[in-house]
Structures are given as structure tokens and as C-alpha cells.
mmCIF file of all heavy atoms in Angstrom:
data_model
loop_
_atom_site.group_PDB
_atom_site.id
_atom_site.type_symbol
_atom_site.label_atom_id
_atom_site.label_comp_id
_atom_site.label_asym_id
_atom_site.label_seq_id
_atom_site.Cartn_x
_atom_site.Cartn_y
_atom_site.Cartn_z
ATOM 1 N N GLY A 20 107.759 138.709 44.585
ATOM 2 C CA GLY A 20 109.143 138.695 44.160
ATOM 3 C C GLY A 20 109.695 140.042 43.711
ATOM 4 O O GLY A 20 110.825 140.104 43.282
ATOM 5 N N GLU A 21 108.919 141.113 43.727
ATOM 6 C CA GLU A 21 109.427 142.417 43.329
ATOM 7 C C GLU A 21 110.161 143.053 44.502
ATOM 8 O O GLU A 21 109.721 142.988 45.633
ATOM 9 C CB GLU A 21 108.282 143.339 42.903
ATOM 10 C CG GLU A 21 107.621 142.932 41.610
ATOM 11 C CD GLU A 21 106.539 143.912 41.205
ATOM 12 O OE1 GLU A 21 106.557 145.065 41.660
ATOM 13 O OE2 GLU A 21 105.671 143.492 40.439
ATOM 14 N N THR A 22 111.269 143.689 44.211
ATOM 15 C CA THR A 22 112.010 144.386 45.244
ATOM 16 C C THR A 22 111.917 145.878 44.974
ATOM 17 O O THR A 22 111.907 146.298 43.817
ATOM 18 C CB THR A 22 113.487 143.956 45.253
ATOM 19 O OG1 THR A 22 114.043 144.214 43.966
ATOM 20 C CG2 THR A 22 113.625 142.489 45.583
ATOM 21 N N PRO A 23 111.844 146.681 46.017
ATOM 22 C CA PRO A 23 111.782 148.121 45.793
ATOM 23 C C PRO A 23 113.099 148.624 45.205
ATOM 24 O O PRO A 23 114.157 148.041 45.437
ATOM 25 C CB PRO A 23 111.535 148.706 47.188
ATOM 26 C CG PRO A 23 111.990 147.662 48.128
ATOM 27 C CD PRO A 23 111.813 146.347 47.430
ATOM 28 N N GLU A 24 112.975 149.719 44.456
ATOM 29 C CA GLU A 24 114.189 150.264 43.856
ATOM 30 C C GLU A 24 115.093 150.847 44.940
ATOM 31 O O GLU A 24 114.636 151.262 45.999
ATOM 32 C CB GLU A 24 113.853 151.318 42.817
ATOM 33 C CG GLU A 24 113.129 152.524 43.366
ATOM 34 C CD GLU A 24 112.726 153.502 42.287
ATOM 35 O OE1 GLU A 24 112.031 153.090 41.358
ATOM 36 O OE2 GLU A 24 113.125 154.668 42.409
ATOM 37 N N ALA A 25 116.356 150.876 44.648
ATOM 38 C CA ALA A 25 117.332 151.362 45.623
ATOM 39 C C ALA A 25 117.170 152.861 45.839
ATOM 40 O O ALA A 25 116.803 153.601 44.925
ATOM 41 C CB ALA A 25 118.743 151.064 45.133
ATOM 42 N N LEU A 26 117.419 153.290 47.048
ATOM 43 C CA LEU A 26 117.361 154.707 47.360
ATOM 44 C C LEU A 26 118.529 155.420 46.695
ATOM 45 O O LEU A 26 119.623 154.862 46.581
ATOM 46 C CB LEU A 26 117.424 154.920 48.875
ATOM 47 C CG LEU A 26 116.238 154.400 49.672
ATOM 48 C CD1 LEU A 26 116.516 154.551 51.162
ATOM 49 C CD2 LEU A 26 114.985 155.159 49.303
ATOM 50 N N PRO A 27 118.308 156.658 46.269
ATOM 51 C CA PRO A 27 119.428 157.377 45.664
ATOM 52 C C PRO A 27 120.498 157.664 46.715
ATOM 53 O O PRO A 27 120.201 157.826 47.896
ATOM 54 C CB PRO A 27 118.789 158.673 45.152
ATOM 55 C CG PRO A 27 117.557 158.834 45.960
ATOM 56 C CD PRO A 27 117.092 157.449 46.299
ATOM 57 N N GLU A 28 121.723 157.727 46.269
ATOM 58 C CA GLU A 28 122.823 157.995 47.192
ATOM 59 C C GLU A 28 122.884 159.492 47.443
ATOM 60 O O GLU A 28 123.285 160.258 46.573
ATOM 61 C CB GLU A 28 124.131 157.472 46.621
ATOM 62 C CG GLU A 28 124.164 155.963 46.536
ATOM 63 C CD GLU A 28 125.530 155.450 46.175
ATOM 64 O OE1 GLU A 28 126.512 156.205 46.247
ATOM 65 O OE2 GLU A 28 125.616 154.272 45.824
ATOM 66 N N VAL A 29 122.430 159.878 48.625
ATOM 67 C CA VAL A 29 122.400 161.286 49.001
ATOM 68 C C VAL A 29 123.115 161.460 50.329
ATOM 69 O O VAL A 29 123.272 160.521 51.095
ATOM 70 C CB VAL A 29 120.960 161.834 49.111
ATOM 71 C CG1 VAL A 29 120.258 161.794 47.775
ATOM 72 C CG2 VAL A 29 120.168 161.101 50.155
ATOM 73 N N ALA A 30 123.520 162.690 50.553
ATOM 74 C CA ALA A 30 124.120 163.065 51.833
ATOM 75 C C ALA A 30 123.354 164.275 52.345
ATOM 76 O O ALA A 30 122.752 165.021 51.559
ATOM 77 C CB ALA A 30 125.591 163.394 51.661
ATOM 78 N N PHE A 31 123.357 164.450 53.637
ATOM 79 C CA PHE A 31 122.701 165.600 54.245
ATOM 80 C C PHE A 31 123.780 166.473 54.881
ATOM 81 O O PHE A 31 124.520 166.022 55.752
ATOM 82 C CB PHE A 31 121.673 165.151 55.279
ATOM 83 C CG PHE A 31 120.533 164.402 54.658
ATOM 84 C CD1 PHE A 31 120.526 163.017 54.625
ATOM 85 C CD2 PHE A 31 119.480 165.084 54.081
ATOM 86 C CE1 PHE A 31 119.486 162.330 54.039
ATOM 87 C CE2 PHE A 31 118.438 164.413 53.497
ATOM 88 C CZ PHE A 31 118.431 163.025 53.465
ATOM 89 N N VAL A 32 123.831 167.710 54.403
ATOM 90 C CA VAL A 32 124.809 168.662 54.920
ATOM 91 C C VAL A 32 124.097 169.546 55.930
ATOM 92 O O VAL A 32 123.219 170.334 55.563
ATOM 93 C CB VAL A 32 125.411 169.518 53.788
ATOM 94 C CG1 VAL A 32 126.370 170.550 54.345
ATOM 95 C CG2 VAL A 32 126.091 168.624 52.761
ATOM 96 N N PRO A 33 124.426 169.428 57.217
ATOM 97 C CA PRO A 33 123.750 170.262 58.217
ATOM 98 C C PRO A 33 124.267 171.699 58.166
ATOM 99 O O PRO A 33 125.461 171.938 58.039
ATOM 100 C CB PRO A 33 124.092 169.596 59.540
ATOM 101 C CG PRO A 33 125.357 168.866 59.275
ATOM 102 C CD PRO A 33 125.350 168.484 57.826
ATOM 103 N N LEU A 34 123.344 172.620 58.236
ATOM 104 C CA LEU A 34 123.705 174.030 58.329
ATOM 105 C C LEU A 34 123.728 174.421 59.799
ATOM 106 O O LEU A 34 122.989 173.851 60.614
ATOM 107 C CB LEU A 34 122.705 174.890 57.567
ATOM 108 C CG LEU A 34 122.599 174.622 56.064
ATOM 109 C CD1 LEU A 34 121.523 175.490 55.447
ATOM 110 C CD2 LEU A 34 123.927 174.853 55.378
ATOM 111 N N ASP A 35 124.542 175.379 60.120
ATOM 112 C CA ASP A 35 124.620 175.840 61.500
ATOM 113 C C ASP A 35 123.307 176.511 61.891
ATOM 114 O O ASP A 35 122.698 177.228 61.081
ATOM 115 C CB ASP A 35 125.772 176.836 61.665
ATOM 116 C CG ASP A 35 127.118 176.210 61.330
ATOM 117 O OD1 ASP A 35 127.257 174.995 61.526
ATOM 118 O OD2 ASP A 35 128.004 176.953 60.859
ATOM 119 N N PRO A 36 122.828 176.309 63.116
ATOM 120 C CA PRO A 36 121.602 176.991 63.551
ATOM 121 C C PRO A 36 121.799 178.504 63.516
ATOM 122 O O PRO A 36 122.877 179.013 63.828
ATOM 123 C CB PRO A 36 121.399 176.501 64.978
ATOM 124 C CG PRO A 36 122.213 175.271 65.097
ATOM 125 C CD PRO A 36 123.343 175.408 64.141
ATOM 126 N N MET A 37 120.754 179.202 63.099
ATOM 127 C CA MET A 37 120.814 180.665 63.002
ATOM 128 C C MET A 37 119.746 181.281 63.890
ATOM 129 O O MET A 37 118.659 180.716 64.035
ATOM 130 C CB MET A 37 120.547 181.127 61.566
ATOM 131 C CG MET A 37 121.566 180.711 60.570
ATOM 132 S SD MET A 37 121.369 181.519 58.957
ATOM 133 C CE MET A 37 119.722 181.100 58.500
ATOM 134 N N VAL A 38 120.065 182.428 64.461
ATOM 135 C CA VAL A 38 119.087 183.255 65.151
ATOM 136 C C VAL A 38 119.106 184.591 64.419
ATOM 137 O O VAL A 38 120.113 185.292 64.411
ATOM 138 C CB VAL A 38 119.433 183.440 66.642
ATOM 139 C CG1 VAL A 38 118.426 184.371 67.302
ATOM 140 C CG2 VAL A 38 119.460 182.096 67.344
ATOM 141 N N VAL A 39 117.976 184.910 63.790
ATOM 142 C CA VAL A 39 117.883 186.111 62.963
ATOM 143 C C VAL A 39 117.014 187.124 63.688
ATOM 144 O O VAL A 39 115.882 186.816 64.072
ATOM 145 C CB VAL A 39 117.263 185.765 61.588
ATOM 146 C CG1 VAL A 39 117.160 187.005 60.725
ATOM 147 C CG2 VAL A 39 118.081 184.690 60.899
ATOM 148 N N SER A 40 117.543 188.330 63.855
ATOM 149 C CA SER A 40 116.729 189.389 64.464
ATOM 150 C C SER A 40 115.887 190.006 63.348
ATOM 151 O O SER A 40 116.386 190.329 62.272
ATOM 152 C CB SER A 40 117.609 190.438 65.133
ATOM 153 O OG SER A 40 118.450 191.040 64.183
ATOM 154 N N LEU A 41 114.596 190.147 63.630
ATOM 155 C CA LEU A 41 113.655 190.660 62.638
ATOM 156 C C LEU A 41 113.348 192.115 62.928
ATOM 157 O O LEU A 41 113.305 192.540 64.084
ATOM 158 C CB LEU A 41 112.373 189.830 62.660
ATOM 159 C CG LEU A 41 112.583 188.323 62.435
ATOM 160 C CD1 LEU A 41 111.303 187.584 62.675
ATOM 161 C CD2 LEU A 41 113.104 188.069 61.035
ATOM 162 N N GLY A 42 113.108 192.875 61.879
ATOM 163 C CA GLY A 42 112.777 194.281 62.040
ATOM 164 C C GLY A 42 111.384 194.459 62.606
ATOM 165 O O GLY A 42 110.601 193.521 62.743
ATOM 166 N N GLY A 43 111.061 195.676 62.951
ATOM 167 C CA GLY A 43 109.743 195.952 63.510
ATOM 168 C C GLY A 43 109.872 196.702 64.816
ATOM 169 O O GLY A 43 110.970 197.022 65.287
ATOM 170 N N THR A 44 108.733 197.001 65.427
ATOM 171 C CA THR A 44 108.742 197.769 66.662
ATOM 172 C C THR A 44 109.201 196.929 67.845
ATOM 173 O O THR A 44 109.920 197.409 68.702
ATOM 174 C CB THR A 44 107.331 198.323 66.938
ATOM 175 O OG1 THR A 44 106.421 197.228 66.992
ATOM 176 C CG2 THR A 44 106.920 199.293 65.849
ATOM 177 N N ALA A 45 108.781 195.685 67.898
ATOM 178 C CA ALA A 45 109.177 194.813 69.012
ATOM 179 C C ALA A 45 110.404 193.997 68.598
ATOM 180 O O ALA A 45 110.602 193.699 67.428
ATOM 181 C CB ALA A 45 108.032 193.877 69.374
ATOM 182 N N ALA A 46 111.200 193.662 69.559
ATOM 183 C CA ALA A 46 112.373 192.834 69.283
ATOM 184 C C ALA A 46 111.907 191.392 69.086
ATOM 185 O O ALA A 46 111.485 190.737 70.036
ATOM 186 C CB ALA A 46 113.366 192.933 70.432
ATOM 187 N N ARG A 47 111.960 190.939 67.854
ATOM 188 C CA ARG A 47 111.537 189.572 67.536
ATOM 189 C C ARG A 47 112.701 188.839 66.905
ATOM 190 O O ARG A 47 113.527 189.429 66.220
ATOM 191 C CB ARG A 47 110.344 189.602 66.584
ATOM 192 C CG ARG A 47 109.171 190.339 67.239
ATOM 193 C CD ARG A 47 107.915 190.131 66.534
ATOM 194 N NE ARG A 47 107.462 188.758 66.769
ATOM 195 C CZ ARG A 47 106.328 188.304 66.276
ATOM 196 N NH1 ARG A 47 105.559 189.095 65.568
ATOM 197 N NH2 ARG A 47 105.946 187.083 66.491
ATOM 198 N N HIS A 48 112.723 187.542 67.140
ATOM 199 C CA HIS A 48 113.812 186.718 66.628
ATOM 200 C C HIS A 48 113.242 185.473 65.959
ATOM 201 O O HIS A 48 112.162 184.990 66.322
ATOM 202 C CB HIS A 48 114.764 186.304 67.750
ATOM 203 C CG HIS A 48 115.496 187.454 68.343
ATOM 204 N ND1 HIS A 48 114.971 188.228 69.344
ATOM 205 C CD2 HIS A 48 116.713 187.967 68.054
ATOM 206 C CE1 HIS A 48 115.828 189.171 69.659
ATOM 207 N NE2 HIS A 48 116.906 189.029 68.892
ATOM 208 N N LEU A 49 113.998 184.963 65.029
ATOM 209 C CA LEU A 49 113.662 183.724 64.337
ATOM 210 C C LEU A 49 114.808 182.745 64.533
ATOM 211 O O LEU A 49 115.955 183.061 64.218
ATOM 212 C CB LEU A 49 113.442 183.981 62.837
ATOM 213 C CG LEU A 49 113.308 182.738 61.959
ATOM 214 C CD1 LEU A 49 112.009 182.002 62.266
ATOM 215 C CD2 LEU A 49 113.374 183.117 60.491
ATOM 216 N N ARG A 50 114.477 181.577 65.072
ATOM 217 C CA ARG A 50 115.463 180.495 65.169
ATOM 218 C C ARG A 50 115.251 179.596 63.972
ATOM 219 O O ARG A 50 114.141 179.115 63.730
ATOM 220 C CB ARG A 50 115.275 179.691 66.449
ATOM 221 C CG ARG A 50 115.751 180.437 67.676
ATOM 222 C CD ARG A 50 115.716 179.575 68.879
ATOM 223 N NE ARG A 50 116.472 178.334 68.588
ATOM 224 C CZ ARG A 50 116.737 177.416 69.480
ATOM 225 N NH1 ARG A 50 116.327 177.566 70.715
ATOM 226 N NH2 ARG A 50 117.403 176.350 69.166
ATOM 227 N N PHE A 51 116.309 179.370 63.226
ATOM 228 C CA PHE A 51 116.216 178.600 61.987
ATOM 229 C C PHE A 51 117.345 177.588 61.936
ATOM 230 O O PHE A 51 118.500 177.902 62.217
ATOM 231 C CB PHE A 51 116.309 179.551 60.784
ATOM 232 C CG PHE A 51 116.246 178.853 59.469
ATOM 233 C CD1 PHE A 51 115.051 178.393 58.961
ATOM 234 C CD2 PHE A 51 117.409 178.638 58.726
ATOM 235 C CE1 PHE A 51 115.001 177.738 57.745
ATOM 236 C CE2 PHE A 51 117.358 177.984 57.512
ATOM 237 C CZ PHE A 51 116.149 177.539 57.019
ATOM 238 N N ASN A 52 116.999 176.364 61.577
ATOM 239 C CA ASN A 52 117.972 175.300 61.417
ATOM 240 C C ASN A 52 117.522 174.463 60.229
ATOM 241 O O ASN A 52 116.333 174.157 60.091
ATOM 242 C CB ASN A 52 118.059 174.443 62.679
ATOM 243 C CG ASN A 52 119.239 173.501 62.661
ATOM 244 O OD1 ASN A 52 120.052 173.522 61.745
ATOM 245 N ND2 ASN A 52 119.332 172.671 63.685
ATOM 246 N N ALA A 53 118.461 174.085 59.362
ATOM 247 C CA ALA A 53 118.113 173.334 58.160
ATOM 248 C C ALA A 53 119.248 172.399 57.778
ATOM 249 O O ALA A 53 120.368 172.500 58.298
ATOM 250 C CB ALA A 53 117.809 174.288 57.012
ATOM 251 N N GLN A 54 118.916 171.489 56.858
ATOM 252 C CA GLN A 54 119.913 170.607 56.262
ATOM 253 C C GLN A 54 119.699 170.606 54.761
ATOM 254 O O GLN A 54 118.562 170.731 54.286
ATOM 255 C CB GLN A 54 119.795 169.184 56.811
ATOM 256 C CG GLN A 54 120.201 169.069 58.250
ATOM 257 C CD GLN A 54 120.325 167.622 58.689
ATOM 258 O OE1 GLN A 54 120.190 166.688 57.909
ATOM 259 N NE2 GLN A 54 120.614 167.428 59.960
ATOM 260 N N LEU A 55 120.777 170.436 54.029
ATOM 261 C CA LEU A 55 120.719 170.389 52.573
ATOM 262 C C LEU A 55 120.867 168.947 52.122
ATOM 263 O O LEU A 55 121.778 168.234 52.557
ATOM 264 C CB LEU A 55 121.827 171.239 51.958
ATOM 265 C CG LEU A 55 121.826 172.718 52.308
ATOM 266 C CD1 LEU A 55 123.048 173.392 51.731
ATOM 267 C CD2 LEU A 55 120.555 173.376 51.806
ATOM 268 N N GLU A 56 119.970 168.514 51.264
ATOM 269 C CA GLU A 56 120.061 167.178 50.679
ATOM 270 C C GLU A 56 120.829 167.307 49.370
ATOM 271 O O GLU A 56 120.402 168.015 48.464
ATOM 272 C CB GLU A 56 118.667 166.610 50.425
ATOM 273 C CG GLU A 56 118.679 165.238 49.821
ATOM 274 C CD GLU A 56 117.280 164.713 49.569
ATOM 275 O OE1 GLU A 56 116.313 165.240 50.136
ATOM 276 O OE2 GLU A 56 117.163 163.766 48.782
ATOM 277 N N VAL A 57 121.974 166.646 49.292
ATOM 278 C CA VAL A 57 122.843 166.768 48.126
ATOM 279 C C VAL A 57 123.217 165.375 47.626
ATOM 280 O O VAL A 57 123.258 164.414 48.403
ATOM 281 C CB VAL A 57 124.130 167.560 48.468
ATOM 282 C CG1 VAL A 57 123.805 168.955 48.923
ATOM 283 C CG2 VAL A 57 124.952 166.859 49.511
ATOM 284 N N PRO A 58 123.477 165.248 46.312
ATOM 285 C CA PRO A 58 124.018 163.973 45.827
ATOM 286 C C PRO A 58 125.371 163.711 46.490
ATOM 287 O O PRO A 58 126.137 164.632 46.775
ATOM 288 C CB PRO A 58 124.170 164.202 44.323
ATOM 289 C CG PRO A 58 123.202 165.292 44.005
ATOM 290 C CD PRO A 58 123.167 166.161 45.224
ATOM 291 N N LEU A 59 125.650 162.468 46.734
ATOM 292 C CA LEU A 59 126.852 162.083 47.461
ATOM 293 C C LEU A 59 128.134 162.602 46.795
ATOM 294 O O LEU A 59 129.093 162.967 47.480
ATOM 295 C CB LEU A 59 126.908 160.558 47.593
ATOM 296 C CG LEU A 59 127.788 159.983 48.672
ATOM 297 C CD1 LEU A 59 127.447 160.566 50.025
ATOM 298 C CD2 LEU A 59 127.673 158.481 48.701
ATOM 299 N N ALA A 60 128.116 162.712 45.485
ATOM 300 C CA ALA A 60 129.308 163.166 44.765
ATOM 301 C C ALA A 60 129.627 164.636 45.031
ATOM 302 O O ALA A 60 130.777 165.051 44.902
ATOM 303 C CB ALA A 60 129.115 162.951 43.265
ATOM 304 N N TYR A 61 128.617 165.433 45.404
ATOM 305 C CA TYR A 61 128.814 166.870 45.589
ATOM 306 C C TYR A 61 128.860 167.294 47.061
ATOM 307 O O TYR A 61 128.841 168.484 47.357
ATOM 308 C CB TYR A 61 127.708 167.653 44.878
ATOM 309 C CG TYR A 61 127.690 167.434 43.388
ATOM 310 C CD1 TYR A 61 126.590 166.856 42.771
ATOM 311 C CD2 TYR A 61 128.772 167.801 42.604
ATOM 312 C CE1 TYR A 61 126.573 166.654 41.412
ATOM 313 C CE2 TYR A 61 128.755 167.605 41.236
ATOM 314 C CZ TYR A 61 127.650 167.029 40.641
ATOM 315 O OH TYR A 61 127.633 166.828 39.301
ATOM 316 N N GLN A 62 128.902 166.358 47.967
ATOM 317 C CA GLN A 62 128.872 166.698 49.387
ATOM 318 C C GLN A 62 130.047 167.594 49.777
ATOM 319 O O GLN A 62 129.868 168.597 50.468
ATOM 320 C CB GLN A 62 128.874 165.428 50.244
ATOM 321 C CG GLN A 62 128.826 165.714 51.719
ATOM 322 C CD GLN A 62 128.820 164.448 52.557
ATOM 323 O OE1 GLN A 62 128.955 163.355 52.040
ATOM 324 N NE2 GLN A 62 128.653 164.605 53.852
#
């Protein structure tokens, strides 16, 4: 009869994908994509 607790109300704010050029002798790049988990009130 136990029910799991409710999930917190969160929103996910997607960030734009980034391609970052890295320093060094060879031309290297980093592809980065992320999302921010925020409370629904602050979305």
C-alpha cells in the first residue's frame, strides 16, 4: 500500500550545441551539448 513520493517539478532548459576550437598544435574541436535542470518556477 505504499506509494512512491512524487517527483519534483522540474524543467529542462536545452542549451544550444557548441563547437569549441581548442588550442594546441593540431586543430582540435570539442562538440558539447547540455541541458540545465531547473525548478519549474525558475524556467
Side-chain angles (χ1 to χ4, degrees):
E21 291 183 21
T22 58
E24 62 184 56
L26 294 174
E28 293 189 14
V29 296
F31 294 96
V32 177
L34 299 177
D35 299 330
M37 295 190 303
V38 177
V39 180
S40 61
L41 304 172
T44 57
R47 300 194 72 178
H48 294 85
L49 170 68
R50 286 187 53 173
F51 179 77
N52 191 4
Q54 291 191 5
L55 300 175
E56 180 181 343
V57 299
L59 200 54
Y61 298 118
Q62 181 180 6

